[in-house]
Amino acid sequence: MLSLQLEGRTVVVTGAGQGQGAAETRLLAEAGALVIATDLAAEMPADLALPPASAGALLYRQLDVSNASHWAGLADWIRSEGRQVDGLVNNAGITQRSRLLDVLVADLQRVYEVNVAGALLGIQALTPLMASGSAIVNVGSVAGLTAHYPVAYTASKWALRGLSQVAAMELGPRGIRVNTVHPGFIETPMTASAKPEFKHATLAETPLGRTGSVEEVAGVVLFLLSPLSSYVTGAEIPVDGGQSGHGGAKSVSDAMR
Ligand SMILES: NC(=O)c1ccc[n+]([C@@H]2O[C@H](COP(=O)([O-])OP(=O)(O)OC[C@H]3O[C@@H](n4cnc5c(N)ncnc54)[C@H](O)[C@@H]3O)[C@@H](O)[C@H]2O)c1
């Protein structure tokens, strides 16, 4: 029977300490998965406490996604525990808000190390532990679908789309699915650090007229890890209240009312 339930499945989530990663961890555990939640901190962040009724379980490991030896250590540990990996959520990401004429190559490199190389290293380290039926979800952004102004971040999310498509093509024959979600403005510590003008301007471009919640992203991630999406790979799903779908036509439509 097709189901959203993930009982008996092991899922690794990166950047799980707060924001979307924490919500994904909680929802996946509620759906019955054993979630290996990872983030930069040595100790498990408080946000990760599971609701008492969770069917699944949670283990926490320190992992910097840009560090290949951290990934090797995680894979070795999972192997030594006698587990395989059924799901990977490449959620960890950083932003950098310099504009085109100010951004430094060093800024670009740092954002790429986390947002692009981090996902690549995760796929390289964990796919040897994945059997047919496993799934990977990469967390992109509407920035990767548009000309969003913070150029290093935007370029990194466009690059992540390319990585995702190659991974879907290469891993498909092994029965491993790879999909991407593209969040719009989601209320997290990342967006809390942006200027209020950013929120107001984004809302004006968002047909649903509101920001998104971390749970609304986590639900789509759960779907993409579950057997309900068993024939979906290489897909990109905006979770953005319609922001990217109108291709810039909303301000024209609004002006013509
Ligand atoms: N919040 C939004 O509106 C939004 C929109 C589009 C895309 N996204 C993407 O969603 C993902 C999650 O964003 P968020 O808003 O929850 O961000 P956040 O900043 O609230 O949380 C990100 C988490 O990633 C961790 N992290 C950062 N660098 C890391 C590294 N090198 N290794 C491991 N972990 C690291 C942080 O410690 C933090 O816990 C990111 O990929 C982000 O680019 C967010």
Side-chain angles (χ1 to χ4, degrees):
M1 195 184 80
L2 292 177
S3 163
L4 272 175
Q5 295 302 306
L6 297 180
E7 269 105 10
R9 295 174 80 83
T10 300
V11 180
V12 173
V13 179
T14 68
Q18 65 182 30
Q20 291 173 42
E24 287 151 10
T25 297
R26 288 191 295 266
L27 187 67
L28 295 169
E30 258 181 76
L34 166 69
V35 183
I36 301 175
T38 67
D39 208 310
L40 294 171
E43 302 296 329
M44 184 168 99
D47 262 17
L48 279 181
L50 291 185
S54 296
L58 171 63
L59 295 171
Y60 179 79
R61 302 285 294 182
Q62 184 176 26
L63 175 93
D64 176 343
V65 295
S66 65
N67 186 322
S69 57
H70 283 201
W71 278 110
L74 179 70
D76 286 347
W77 173 73
I78 294 171
R79 219 176 265 114
S80 73
E81 295 280 306
R83 297 185 198 283
Q84 65 175 37
V85 174
D86 306 290
L88 167 63
V89 185
N90 282 314
N91 164 77
I94 56 172
T95 191
Q96 206 287 338
R97 298 191 171 105
S98 301
R99 301 188 75 116
L100 183 68
L101 299 185
D102 301 318
V103 73
L104 304 175
V105 170
D107 298 329
L108 193 73
Q109 285 168 337
R110 181 59 195 148
V111 176
Y112 265 65
E113 273 173 22
V114 177
N115 296 4
V116 189
L120 173 67
L121 291 171
I123 290 168
Q124 290 177 333
L126 297 190
T127 47
L129 293 169
M130 290 182 169
S132 179
S134 304
I136 297 168
V137 178
N138 292 327
V139 180
S141 169
V142 289
L145 299 169
T146 62
H148 189 40
Y149 77 90
V151 62
Y153 182 75
T154 294
S156 78
K157 294 296 186 177
W158 280 84
L160 181 62
R161 294 178 65 195
L163 169 64
S164 299
Q165 298 310 74
V166 172
M169 181 184 68
E170 298 271 341
L171 299 174
R174 290 173 52 185
I176 302 172
R177 298 182 296 109
V178 184
N179 293 293
T180 307
V181 294
H182 292 298
F185 192 117
I186 308 298
E187 301 284 354
T188 71
M190 182 185 278
T191 43
S193 69
K195 287 184 181 167
E197 291 82 352
F198 173 59
K199 184 170 179 171
H200 297 143
T202 305
L203 283 175
E205 297 293 345
T206 304
L208 288 186
R210 63 173 178 83
T211 58
S213 72
V214 291
E215 289 78 15
E216 289 175 310
V217 178
V220 181
V221 170
L222 169 61
F223 166 70
L224 290 171
L225 292 176
S226 81
L228 278 182
S229 59
S230 54
Y231 201 51
V232 180
T233 194
E236 304 188 78
I237 304 185
V239 189
D240 66 352
Q243 186 191 344
S244 58
H246 61 75
K250 185 170 182 300
S251 57
V252 178
S253 169
D254 290 349
M256 298 309 291
R257 275 185 215 287

